[in-house]
Short mmCIF file of all heavy atoms in Angstrom, two decimals:
data_model
loop_
_atom_site.label_atom_id
_atom_site.label_comp_id
_atom_site.label_asym_id
_atom_site.label_seq_id
_atom_site.Cartn_x
_atom_site.Cartn_y
_atom_site.Cartn_z
N VAL A 1339 22.68 44.47 -4.17
CA VAL A 1339 23.82 44.37 -4.98
C VAL A 1339 23.63 45.01 -6.25
O VAL A 1339 22.44 45.38 -6.67
CB VAL A 1339 24.15 42.82 -5.22
CG1 VAL A 1339 24.52 42.10 -3.88
CG2 VAL A 1339 23.01 42.09 -5.92
N ASP A 1340 24.66 45.29 -6.98
CA ASP A 1340 24.59 46.01 -8.27
C ASP A 1340 23.95 45.17 -9.32
O ASP A 1340 23.14 45.58 -10.18
CB ASP A 1340 26.01 46.52 -8.77
CG ASP A 1340 26.57 47.60 -7.83
OD1 ASP A 1340 25.65 48.32 -7.32
OD2 ASP A 1340 27.78 47.72 -7.74
N SER A 1341 24.24 43.85 -9.25
CA SER A 1341 23.73 42.85 -10.30
C SER A 1341 23.73 41.50 -9.57
O SER A 1341 24.68 41.08 -8.86
CB SER A 1341 24.53 42.82 -11.45
OG SER A 1341 24.20 41.74 -12.31
N VAL A 1342 22.52 40.78 -9.87
CA VAL A 1342 22.50 39.37 -9.42
C VAL A 1342 22.99 38.36 -10.33
O VAL A 1342 23.16 37.20 -9.97
CB VAL A 1342 21.02 39.08 -9.00
CG1 VAL A 1342 20.56 39.88 -7.84
CG2 VAL A 1342 20.13 39.19 -10.18
N GLY A 1343 23.35 38.74 -11.55
CA GLY A 1343 23.71 37.97 -12.63
C GLY A 1343 24.99 37.06 -12.34
O GLY A 1343 24.95 35.79 -12.43
N GLY A 1344 26.06 37.74 -11.91
CA GLY A 1344 27.29 36.99 -11.73
C GLY A 1344 27.57 36.60 -10.28
O GLY A 1344 28.72 36.18 -9.91
N LEU A 1345 26.65 36.61 -9.49
CA LEU A 1345 26.74 36.38 -8.05
C LEU A 1345 27.14 34.96 -7.75
O LEU A 1345 26.39 34.01 -8.22
CB LEU A 1345 25.42 36.70 -7.26
CG LEU A 1345 25.58 36.87 -5.82
CD1 LEU A 1345 26.30 38.10 -5.36
CD2 LEU A 1345 24.02 37.01 -5.25
N LYS A 1346 28.11 34.65 -7.01
CA LYS A 1346 28.60 33.31 -6.71
C LYS A 1346 27.93 32.93 -5.32
O LYS A 1346 28.58 32.69 -4.35
CB LYS A 1346 30.00 33.21 -6.46
CG LYS A 1346 30.80 33.59 -7.85
CD LYS A 1346 32.33 33.47 -7.74
CE LYS A 1346 33.02 33.77 -8.99
NZ LYS A 1346 34.43 33.70 -8.92
N ILE A 1347 26.54 32.65 -5.58
CA ILE A 1347 25.82 32.50 -4.22
C ILE A 1347 26.01 31.04 -3.71
O ILE A 1347 25.93 30.94 -2.54
CB ILE A 1347 24.26 32.57 -4.70
CG1 ILE A 1347 23.39 32.66 -3.50
CG2 ILE A 1347 23.84 31.44 -5.67
CD1 ILE A 1347 21.87 32.97 -3.77
N ASP A 1348 26.56 30.16 -4.51
CA ASP A 1348 26.83 28.86 -3.97
C ASP A 1348 28.24 28.95 -3.12
O ASP A 1348 28.32 27.90 -2.17
CB ASP A 1348 27.07 27.83 -5.08
CG ASP A 1348 28.23 28.28 -6.05
OD1 ASP A 1348 28.31 29.56 -6.39
OD2 ASP A 1348 28.86 27.49 -6.59
N GLN A 1349 28.88 29.97 -3.16
CA GLN A 1349 30.06 29.99 -2.37
C GLN A 1349 29.84 30.80 -1.04
O GLN A 1349 30.38 30.50 -0.03
CB GLN A 1349 31.26 30.65 -3.06
CG GLN A 1349 31.72 29.88 -4.34
CD GLN A 1349 32.93 30.48 -5.04
OE1 GLN A 1349 33.50 31.44 -4.50
NE2 GLN A 1349 33.14 30.11 -6.27
N ILE A 1350 28.89 31.79 -1.17
CA ILE A 1350 28.69 32.62 0.00
C ILE A 1350 27.37 32.34 0.80
O ILE A 1350 27.18 32.73 1.90
CB ILE A 1350 28.65 34.17 -0.31
CG1 ILE A 1350 27.63 34.48 -1.45
CG2 ILE A 1350 29.96 34.54 -0.94
CD1 ILE A 1350 27.42 35.83 -1.87
N GLY A 1351 26.59 31.47 0.15
CA GLY A 1351 25.20 31.17 0.75
C GLY A 1351 25.40 30.51 2.19
O GLY A 1351 24.79 30.89 3.14
N ILE A 1352 26.22 29.47 2.16
CA ILE A 1352 26.37 28.68 3.53
C ILE A 1352 27.09 29.54 4.52
O ILE A 1352 26.56 29.67 5.66
CB ILE A 1352 27.05 27.33 3.24
CG1 ILE A 1352 26.21 26.43 2.51
CG2 ILE A 1352 27.67 26.70 4.62
CD1 ILE A 1352 26.92 25.07 2.21
N PRO A 1353 28.11 30.28 4.26
CA PRO A 1353 28.74 31.20 5.28
C PRO A 1353 27.78 32.16 5.84
O PRO A 1353 27.72 32.59 7.03
CB PRO A 1353 29.84 31.85 4.58
CG PRO A 1353 30.28 30.89 3.48
CD PRO A 1353 28.97 30.22 3.05
N PHE A 1354 26.85 32.67 4.85
CA PHE A 1354 25.80 33.67 5.43
C PHE A 1354 24.79 32.90 6.27
O PHE A 1354 24.56 33.44 7.43
CB PHE A 1354 25.05 34.22 4.21
CG PHE A 1354 25.39 35.69 3.97
CD1 PHE A 1354 26.05 36.08 2.76
CD2 PHE A 1354 24.91 36.69 4.77
CE1 PHE A 1354 26.23 37.37 2.46
CE2 PHE A 1354 25.17 37.97 4.50
CZ PHE A 1354 25.76 38.41 3.39
N GLU A 1355 24.34 31.76 5.81
CA GLU A 1355 23.31 31.11 6.58
C GLU A 1355 23.66 30.81 8.05
O GLU A 1355 22.97 30.79 8.90
CB GLU A 1355 22.87 29.82 5.76
CG GLU A 1355 21.86 28.93 6.59
CD GLU A 1355 21.53 27.69 5.81
OE1 GLU A 1355 21.89 27.51 4.65
OE2 GLU A 1355 20.94 26.73 6.46
N TYR A 1356 24.98 30.27 8.09
CA TYR A 1356 25.54 29.79 9.40
C TYR A 1356 26.18 30.83 10.17
O TYR A 1356 26.81 30.44 11.17
CB TYR A 1356 26.31 28.51 9.25
CG TYR A 1356 25.48 27.28 8.82
CD1 TYR A 1356 25.20 27.00 7.53
CD2 TYR A 1356 25.14 26.37 9.87
CE1 TYR A 1356 24.49 25.83 7.26
CE2 TYR A 1356 24.31 25.31 9.52
CZ TYR A 1356 24.04 24.98 8.26
OH TYR A 1356 23.32 23.93 8.00
N ASN A 1357 26.27 32.08 9.76
CA ASN A 1357 27.02 33.09 10.50
C ASN A 1357 26.55 33.20 11.90
O ASN A 1357 25.25 33.03 12.20
CB ASN A 1357 26.91 34.47 9.68
CG ASN A 1357 27.74 35.48 10.36
OD1 ASN A 1357 27.42 36.14 11.41
ND2 ASN A 1357 28.86 35.69 9.75
N LEU A 1358 27.41 33.36 12.82
CA LEU A 1358 27.02 33.34 14.27
C LEU A 1358 26.12 34.52 14.61
O LEU A 1358 25.48 34.42 15.77
CB LEU A 1358 28.29 33.37 15.18
CG LEU A 1358 29.23 32.23 15.10
CD1 LEU A 1358 30.50 32.40 15.94
CD2 LEU A 1358 28.56 31.05 15.52
N ARG A 1359 25.89 35.44 13.75
CA ARG A 1359 24.93 36.55 14.17
C ARG A 1359 23.50 36.06 13.98
O ARG A 1359 22.58 36.78 14.42
CB ARG A 1359 25.23 37.71 13.30
CG ARG A 1359 26.51 38.37 13.53
CD ARG A 1359 26.51 39.78 12.86
NE ARG A 1359 25.52 40.71 13.41
CZ ARG A 1359 25.37 41.91 12.98
NH1 ARG A 1359 26.08 42.36 11.98
NH2 ARG A 1359 24.44 42.68 13.39
N PHE A 1360 23.31 34.81 13.40
CA PHE A 1360 21.91 34.22 13.17
C PHE A 1360 21.73 33.06 13.98
O PHE A 1360 22.11 31.99 13.67
CB PHE A 1360 21.77 33.96 11.74
CG PHE A 1360 21.95 35.20 10.79
CD1 PHE A 1360 23.08 35.17 9.97
CD2 PHE A 1360 21.12 36.26 10.79
CE1 PHE A 1360 23.38 36.24 9.16
CE2 PHE A 1360 21.40 37.30 9.94
CZ PHE A 1360 22.51 37.40 9.20
N PRO A 1361 21.16 33.18 15.21
CA PRO A 1361 20.96 32.03 16.22
C PRO A 1361 20.28 30.86 15.61
O PRO A 1361 20.63 29.75 15.88
CB PRO A 1361 20.29 32.63 17.41
CG PRO A 1361 20.63 33.99 17.35
CD PRO A 1361 20.65 34.41 15.92
N ASN A 1362 19.32 31.15 14.78
CA ASN A 1362 18.57 30.08 14.01
C ASN A 1362 18.87 29.95 12.54
O ASN A 1362 18.10 29.45 11.80
CB ASN A 1362 17.04 30.37 14.24
CG ASN A 1362 16.58 30.27 15.69
OD1 ASN A 1362 17.26 29.71 16.48
ND2 ASN A 1362 15.43 30.83 15.92
N ARG A 1363 20.08 30.40 12.21
CA ARG A 1363 20.52 30.48 10.73
C ARG A 1363 19.58 31.52 10.01
O ARG A 1363 18.67 32.05 10.68
CB ARG A 1363 20.43 29.03 10.17
CG ARG A 1363 21.42 28.13 10.78
CD ARG A 1363 21.00 26.72 10.62
NE ARG A 1363 20.73 26.29 9.38
CZ ARG A 1363 19.99 25.09 9.13
NH1 ARG A 1363 19.66 24.33 10.06
NH2 ARG A 1363 19.67 24.70 7.88
N THR A 1364 19.76 31.65 8.84
CA THR A 1364 18.96 32.61 8.04
C THR A 1364 18.75 32.31 6.62
O THR A 1364 19.53 31.54 6.06
CB THR A 1364 19.60 34.05 8.16
OG1 THR A 1364 18.59 35.09 7.83
CG2 THR A 1364 20.88 34.29 7.47
N ASN A 1365 17.74 32.81 6.07
CA ASN A 1365 17.61 32.86 4.60
C ASN A 1365 18.32 34.22 4.09
O ASN A 1365 18.31 35.19 4.88
CB ASN A 1365 16.12 32.85 4.18
CG ASN A 1365 15.34 31.73 4.74
OD1 ASN A 1365 15.41 30.63 4.15
ND2 ASN A 1365 14.68 32.02 5.78
N VAL A 1366 18.77 34.13 2.86
CA VAL A 1366 19.55 35.41 2.42
C VAL A 1366 19.02 35.68 1.08
O VAL A 1366 18.92 34.87 0.16
CB VAL A 1366 21.10 35.08 2.34
CG1 VAL A 1366 21.75 36.47 2.01
CG2 VAL A 1366 21.65 34.47 3.51
N GLU A 1367 18.57 37.01 0.89
CA GLU A 1367 18.13 37.48 -0.44
C GLU A 1367 19.19 38.52 -0.97
O GLU A 1367 19.59 39.52 -0.24
CB GLU A 1367 16.85 38.19 -0.29
CG GLU A 1367 15.58 37.28 -0.02
CD GLU A 1367 15.70 36.61 1.26
OE1 GLU A 1367 15.93 37.37 2.34
OE2 GLU A 1367 15.36 35.45 1.38
N PHE A 1368 19.55 38.28 -2.22
CA PHE A 1368 20.40 39.25 -2.93
C PHE A 1368 19.56 40.00 -4.01
O PHE A 1368 19.06 39.31 -4.82
CB PHE A 1368 21.65 38.48 -3.51
CG PHE A 1368 22.46 37.70 -2.54
CD1 PHE A 1368 22.27 36.43 -2.25
CD2 PHE A 1368 23.57 38.35 -1.96
CE1 PHE A 1368 23.03 35.71 -1.30
CE2 PHE A 1368 24.29 37.72 -1.00
CZ PHE A 1368 24.03 36.37 -0.71
N VAL A 1369 19.53 41.20 -3.82
CA VAL A 1369 18.54 42.07 -4.47
C VAL A 1369 19.21 43.05 -5.40
O VAL A 1369 19.94 43.92 -4.87
CB VAL A 1369 17.54 42.65 -3.54
CG1 VAL A 1369 16.52 43.52 -4.21
CG2 VAL A 1369 16.83 41.57 -2.67
N GLN A 1370 18.71 43.15 -6.57
CA GLN A 1370 19.15 44.21 -7.56
C GLN A 1370 17.96 45.09 -7.79
O GLN A 1370 16.90 44.68 -8.28
CB GLN A 1370 19.62 43.55 -8.89
CG GLN A 1370 19.98 44.54 -9.98
CD GLN A 1370 20.32 43.89 -11.39
OE1 GLN A 1370 20.65 42.68 -11.34
NE2 GLN A 1370 20.13 44.52 -12.36
N ILE A 1371 18.02 46.44 -7.52
CA ILE A 1371 17.12 47.34 -7.75
C ILE A 1371 17.07 47.67 -9.22
O ILE A 1371 18.02 48.27 -9.85
CB ILE A 1371 17.26 48.66 -6.84
CG1 ILE A 1371 17.37 48.27 -5.44
CG2 ILE A 1371 16.22 49.67 -7.17
CD1 ILE A 1371 16.13 47.89 -4.89
N VAL A 1372 15.98 47.49 -9.89
CA VAL A 1372 15.74 47.99 -11.33
C VAL A 1372 15.24 49.31 -11.27
O VAL A 1372 15.69 50.23 -12.03
CB VAL A 1372 14.71 46.94 -12.02
CG1 VAL A 1372 14.55 47.47 -13.43
CG2 VAL A 1372 15.43 45.53 -12.14
N ASP A 1373 14.09 49.52 -10.64
CA ASP A 1373 13.55 50.85 -10.31
C ASP A 1373 12.74 50.85 -9.14
O ASP A 1373 12.82 49.74 -8.40
CB ASP A 1373 12.76 51.44 -11.48
CG ASP A 1373 11.51 50.50 -11.93
OD1 ASP A 1373 10.84 50.04 -11.04
OD2 ASP A 1373 11.41 50.38 -13.13
N ARG A 1374 12.07 51.71 -8.63
CA ARG A 1374 11.33 51.82 -7.44
C ARG A 1374 10.07 50.85 -7.29
O ARG A 1374 9.55 50.61 -6.26
CB ARG A 1374 10.95 53.21 -7.00
CG ARG A 1374 12.16 54.09 -6.70
CD ARG A 1374 11.67 55.46 -6.18
NE ARG A 1374 11.04 55.38 -4.90
CZ ARG A 1374 11.76 55.28 -3.71
NH1 ARG A 1374 13.02 55.40 -3.73
NH2 ARG A 1374 11.09 55.29 -2.59
N ASN A 1375 9.78 50.33 -8.45
CA ASN A 1375 8.68 49.27 -8.43
C ASN A 1375 9.01 47.85 -8.98
O ASN A 1375 8.19 47.08 -9.20
CB ASN A 1375 7.46 49.72 -9.26
CG ASN A 1375 6.89 51.07 -8.60
OD1 ASN A 1375 7.10 52.16 -9.09
ND2 ASN A 1375 6.10 50.96 -7.64
N ASN A 1376 10.39 47.71 -9.23
CA ASN A 1376 10.68 46.36 -9.80
C ASN A 1376 12.16 46.06 -9.30
O ASN A 1376 13.04 46.84 -9.25
CB ASN A 1376 10.89 46.48 -11.33
CG ASN A 1376 9.51 46.67 -12.05
OD1 ASN A 1376 8.87 45.79 -12.32
ND2 ASN A 1376 9.12 48.01 -12.24
N ILE A 1377 12.36 44.78 -8.95
CA ILE A 1377 13.51 44.25 -8.44
C ILE A 1377 13.83 42.82 -9.04
O ILE A 1377 12.88 42.19 -9.49
CB ILE A 1377 13.66 44.14 -6.87
CG1 ILE A 1377 12.62 43.12 -6.38
CG2 ILE A 1377 13.58 45.57 -6.24
CD1 ILE A 1377 12.77 42.86 -4.91
N LYS A 1378 15.09 42.52 -9.17
CA LYS A 1378 15.53 41.20 -9.42
C LYS A 1378 16.18 40.58 -8.21
O LYS A 1378 16.77 41.23 -7.34
CB LYS A 1378 16.63 41.21 -10.51
CG LYS A 1378 16.10 41.61 -11.93
CD LYS A 1378 17.18 41.54 -12.91
CE LYS A 1378 16.66 42.12 -14.31
NZ LYS A 1378 17.72 42.09 -15.31
N MET A 1379 15.85 39.35 -8.03
CA MET A 1379 16.32 38.72 -6.70
C MET A 1379 16.88 37.29 -6.96
O MET A 1379 16.20 36.54 -7.72
CB MET A 1379 15.19 38.80 -5.66
CG MET A 1379 15.51 38.28 -4.27
SD MET A 1379 14.12 38.34 -3.18
CE MET A 1379 13.52 36.55 -3.33
N ARG A 1380 17.82 36.92 -6.23
CA ARG A 1380 18.27 35.54 -5.95
C ARG A 1380 18.28 35.18 -4.50
O ARG A 1380 18.44 36.12 -3.63
CB ARG A 1380 19.69 35.26 -6.65
CG ARG A 1380 19.55 35.24 -8.12
CD ARG A 1380 20.94 35.15 -8.71
NE ARG A 1380 21.59 33.74 -8.50
CZ ARG A 1380 22.77 33.47 -8.83
NH1 ARG A 1380 23.56 34.33 -9.38
NH2 ARG A 1380 23.25 32.18 -8.59
N VAL A 1381 17.95 33.99 -4.20
CA VAL A 1381 17.73 33.61 -2.78
C VAL A 1381 18.46 32.32 -2.35
O VAL A 1381 18.47 31.41 -3.14
CB VAL A 1381 16.20 33.56 -2.50
CG1 VAL A 1381 15.56 32.55 -3.47
CG2 VAL A 1381 15.92 33.26 -1.00
N TRP A 1382 19.05 32.37 -1.20
CA TRP A 1382 19.57 31.21 -0.61
C TRP A 1382 18.71 30.92 0.55
O TRP A 1382 18.65 31.66 1.58
CB TRP A 1382 21.08 31.50 -0.12
CG TRP A 1382 21.74 30.35 0.66
CD1 TRP A 1382 21.52 29.94 1.89
CD2 TRP A 1382 22.39 29.33 -0.01
NE1 TRP A 1382 22.35 28.88 2.20
CE2 TRP A 1382 22.83 28.48 0.98
CE3 TRP A 1382 22.95 29.19 -1.35
CZ2 TRP A 1382 23.65 27.37 0.73
CZ3 TRP A 1382 23.77 28.13 -1.62
CH2 TRP A 1382 24.13 27.24 -0.60
N GLU A 1383 18.05 29.76 0.52
CA GLU A 1383 17.09 29.35 1.60
C GLU A 1383 17.78 28.53 2.71
O GLU A 1383 18.41 27.50 2.27
CB GLU A 1383 15.86 28.61 0.93
CG GLU A 1383 15.01 29.54 0.21
CD GLU A 1383 13.51 28.96 0.00
OE1 GLU A 1383 12.95 28.78 1.12
OE2 GLU A 1383 13.13 28.81 -1.15
N ARG A 1384 17.52 28.79 3.87
CA ARG A 1384 18.00 28.08 4.87
C ARG A 1384 17.56 26.56 4.86
O ARG A 1384 16.48 26.19 4.74
CB ARG A 1384 17.50 28.68 6.28
CG ARG A 1384 17.80 27.94 7.59
CD ARG A 1384 17.09 28.67 8.75
NE ARG A 1384 15.61 28.79 8.54
CZ ARG A 1384 14.89 29.04 9.53
NH1 ARG A 1384 15.19 29.37 10.59
NH2 ARG A 1384 13.40 29.04 9.33
N GLY A 1385 18.60 25.73 4.96
CA GLY A 1385 18.31 24.18 4.94
C GLY A 1385 18.00 23.69 3.57
O GLY A 1385 17.75 22.47 3.39
N THR A 1386 18.07 24.49 2.45
CA THR A 1386 17.91 24.07 1.14
C THR A 1386 18.95 24.40 0.22
O THR A 1386 19.46 23.65 -0.63
CB THR A 1386 16.48 24.66 0.68
OG1 THR A 1386 15.41 24.38 1.63
CG2 THR A 1386 16.12 24.07 -0.75
N GLY A 1387 19.46 25.67 0.22
CA GLY A 1387 20.39 26.21 -0.76
C GLY A 1387 19.62 27.16 -1.69
O GLY A 1387 18.57 27.64 -1.41
N GLU A 1388 20.22 27.52 -2.88
CA GLU A 1388 19.57 28.43 -3.74
C GLU A 1388 18.38 27.65 -4.39
O GLU A 1388 18.37 26.54 -4.81
CB GLU A 1388 20.46 28.82 -4.90
CG GLU A 1388 19.84 29.84 -5.79
CD GLU A 1388 20.61 30.29 -6.85
OE1 GLU A 1388 21.76 29.74 -7.21
OE2 GLU A 1388 20.35 31.43 -7.53
N THR A 1389 17.20 28.55 -4.33
CA THR A 1389 15.91 28.10 -4.95
C THR A 1389 15.58 29.05 -6.03
O THR A 1389 16.02 30.06 -6.13
CB THR A 1389 14.88 27.85 -3.89
OG1 THR A 1389 14.66 29.22 -3.22
CG2 THR A 1389 15.25 26.89 -2.77
N LEU A 1390 14.65 28.59 -6.84
CA LEU A 1390 14.20 29.38 -7.95
C LEU A 1390 13.30 30.60 -7.45
O LEU A 1390 13.17 31.52 -8.23
CB LEU A 1390 13.45 28.59 -8.88
CG LEU A 1390 14.37 27.50 -9.63
CD1 LEU A 1390 13.58 26.72 -10.75
CD2 LEU A 1390 15.50 28.14 -10.29
N ALA A 1391 12.77 30.51 -6.35
CA ALA A 1391 11.90 31.55 -5.77
C ALA A 1391 11.70 31.32 -4.24
O ALA A 1391 11.92 30.29 -3.75
CB ALA A 1391 10.52 31.52 -6.46
N CYS A 1392 11.32 32.44 -3.60
CA CYS A 1392 10.98 32.30 -2.12
C CYS A 1392 10.00 33.47 -1.77
O CYS A 1392 10.29 34.68 -2.00
CB CYS A 1392 12.21 32.50 -1.34
SG CYS A 1392 12.01 32.59 0.42
N GLY A 1393 8.75 33.07 -1.40
CA GLY A 1393 7.70 34.00 -1.18
C GLY A 1393 8.02 34.95 0.05
O GLY A 1393 7.83 36.09 -0.12
N THR A 1394 8.32 34.29 1.12
CA THR A 1394 8.75 35.05 2.22
C THR A 1394 9.89 35.98 2.06
O THR A 1394 9.99 37.09 2.46
CB THR A 1394 8.91 34.31 3.60
OG1 THR A 1394 10.01 33.29 3.30
CG2 THR A 1394 7.65 33.48 3.99
N GLY A 1395 10.85 35.47 1.22
CA GLY A 1395 12.03 36.27 0.92
C GLY A 1395 11.68 37.44 0.02
O GLY A 1395 12.30 38.48 0.14
N ALA A 1396 10.76 37.29 -0.95
CA ALA A 1396 10.27 38.40 -1.83
C ALA A 1396 9.70 39.48 -0.96
O ALA A 1396 10.00 40.69 -1.16
CB ALA A 1396 9.35 37.91 -2.75
N CYS A 1397 8.88 39.10 0.05
CA CYS A 1397 8.30 40.08 0.98
C CYS A 1397 9.35 40.75 1.77
O CYS A 1397 9.28 42.02 1.95
CB CYS A 1397 7.30 39.41 1.87
SG CYS A 1397 5.90 38.65 1.06
N ALA A 1398 10.38 39.96 2.30
CA ALA A 1398 11.31 40.59 3.12
C ALA A 1398 12.19 41.57 2.36
O ALA A 1398 12.68 42.67 2.78
CB ALA A 1398 12.29 39.50 3.70
N ALA A 1399 12.49 41.19 1.08
CA ALA A 1399 13.22 42.07 0.16
C ALA A 1399 12.52 43.41 -0.14
O ALA A 1399 13.30 44.43 -0.04
CB ALA A 1399 13.61 41.25 -1.20
N VAL A 1400 11.23 43.30 -0.31
CA VAL A 1400 10.58 44.61 -0.56
C VAL A 1400 10.50 45.49 0.68
O VAL A 1400 10.71 46.57 0.57
CB VAL A 1400 9.08 44.25 -1.21
CG1 VAL A 1400 8.21 45.56 -1.11
CG2 VAL A 1400 9.12 43.57 -2.44
N MET A 1401 10.24 44.72 1.81
CA MET A 1401 10.26 45.59 3.04
C MET A 1401 11.65 46.22 3.32
O MET A 1401 11.70 47.35 3.76
CB MET A 1401 9.90 44.72 4.26
CG MET A 1401 8.31 44.29 4.15
SD MET A 1401 7.18 45.50 3.82
CE MET A 1401 7.66 46.76 5.17
N ALA A 1402 12.78 45.46 3.06
CA ALA A 1402 14.01 45.99 3.15
C ALA A 1402 14.30 47.23 2.34
O ALA A 1402 14.92 48.21 2.62
CB ALA A 1402 15.11 44.90 2.92
N GLY A 1403 13.72 47.12 1.06
CA GLY A 1403 13.85 48.16 0.13
C GLY A 1403 13.09 49.40 0.68
O GLY A 1403 13.55 50.48 0.40
N ILE A 1404 11.89 49.16 1.21
CA ILE A 1404 11.13 50.25 1.79
C ILE A 1404 11.92 50.89 2.96
O ILE A 1404 11.97 52.20 2.99
CB ILE A 1404 9.73 49.81 2.22
CG1 ILE A 1404 8.92 49.59 1.01
CG2 ILE A 1404 8.98 50.93 3.04
CD1 ILE A 1404 7.59 48.73 1.20
N TYR A 1405 12.43 50.13 3.75
CA TYR A 1405 13.12 50.67 5.03
C TYR A 1405 14.48 51.47 4.56
O TYR A 1405 14.85 52.36 5.25
CB TYR A 1405 13.61 49.47 5.96
CG TYR A 1405 12.47 48.77 6.57
CD1 TYR A 1405 12.50 47.46 6.86
CD2 TYR A 1405 11.28 49.41 6.79
CE1 TYR A 1405 11.41 46.60 7.33
CE2 TYR A 1405 10.23 48.66 7.30
CZ TYR A 1405 10.35 47.28 7.65
OH TYR A 1405 9.31 46.65 8.20
N ASN A 1406 15.09 51.13 3.41
CA ASN A 1406 16.13 51.85 2.93
C ASN A 1406 15.77 52.87 1.96
O ASN A 1406 16.72 53.44 1.31
CB ASN A 1406 17.14 50.77 2.26
CG ASN A 1406 17.95 50.01 3.31
OD1 ASN A 1406 18.94 50.45 3.81
ND2 ASN A 1406 17.49 48.79 3.61
N ASN A 1407 14.51 53.28 1.86
CA ASN A 1407 13.97 54.17 0.93
C ASN A 1407 14.39 53.95 -0.60
O ASN A 1407 14.75 54.81 -1.39
CB ASN A 1407 14.40 55.66 1.32
CG ASN A 1407 13.54 56.72 0.70
OD1 ASN A 1407 12.50 56.46 0.30
ND2 ASN A 1407 14.29 57.90 0.41
N LEU A 1408 14.40 52.74 -0.94
CA LEU A 1408 14.77 52.39 -2.27
C LEU A 1408 13.51 51.99 -3.13
O LEU A 1408 13.62 51.95 -4.36
CB LEU A 1408 15.75 51.20 -2.27
CG LEU A 1408 17.03 51.44 -1.66
CD1 LEU A 1408 17.93 50.20 -1.44
CD2 LEU A 1408 17.81 52.44 -2.42
#
Side-chain angles (χ1 to χ4, degrees):
V1339 296
D1340 292 334
S1341 173
V1342 295
L1345 196 66
K1346 296 181 179 179
I1347 194 171
D1348 56 328
Q1349 296 180 16
I1350 59 177
I1352 289 179
F1354 251 112
E1355 176 184 346
Y1356 284 89
N1357 188 276
L1358 294 178
R1359 294 194 60 184
F1360 307 108
N1362 294 341
R1363 297 152 53 196
T1364 192
N1365 304 280
V1366 191
E1367 286 71 41
F1368 299 93
V1369 178
Q1370 174 185 341
I1371 303 291
V1372 177
D1373 57 44
R1374 293 187 65 86
N1375 295 103
N1376 292 273
I1377 62 174
K1378 295 180 180 179
M1379 186 181 97
R1380 290 176 66 183
V1381 57
W1382 180 272
E1383 290 202 56
R1384 179 184 55 169
T1386 306
E1388 185 176 14
T1389 59
L1390 297 182
C1392 177
T1394 56
C1397 295
V1400 171
M1401 292 312 304
I1404 291 172
Y1405 297 146
N1406 284 277
N1407 195 28
L1408 298 171

